[in-house]
Amino acid sequence: MNLEREFRLHELAGIIDLLPKAGRILEIGAGAGWQSEALVSAGYRVTAIDLPQTAYRSVQCGSIVQYDGTRMPFGEGHFDCLFSSNVLEHVA
């Protein structure tokens, strides 16, 4: 298993109990999609979004919606929870 993937899954394991059970989750900055895929396997309904120019584009798994980084393509109240990991350091 790739070390970065292992780290992301370990990180998710540390917070998954804090998420609403069977909730609708928006993952912002999905990267490769490893955490979204794990959340789906755990029974969550996940929508993952990332920029089209992500460095992970060639290795992405699952369905990741591209967005422009400024406007969320979803209406208010569409999700029960927002999840984002290792994204803020990339925001100008």
Side-chain angles (χ1 to χ4, degrees), residues 57-76:
R57 187 145 171 99
S58 65
V59 295
Q60 285 179 330
C61 58
S63 177
I64 299 175
V65 176
Q66 294 181 10
Y67 84 116
D68 65 8
T70 59
R71 288 181 221 88
M72 299 290 174
F74 313 102
E76 188 174 327

Side-chain angles (χ1 to χ4, degrees), residues 2 10 14 17 20 23 26 28 30 32 37 41 49 56 63 68 77 80-81 84-85 87:
N2 156 328
H10 176 75
D17 289 339
L26 173 63
I28 299 175
E37 192 174 63
S41 293
I49 61 176
Y56 292 96
S63 177
D68 65 8
D80 301 308
C81 180
S84 188
S85 171
V87 172

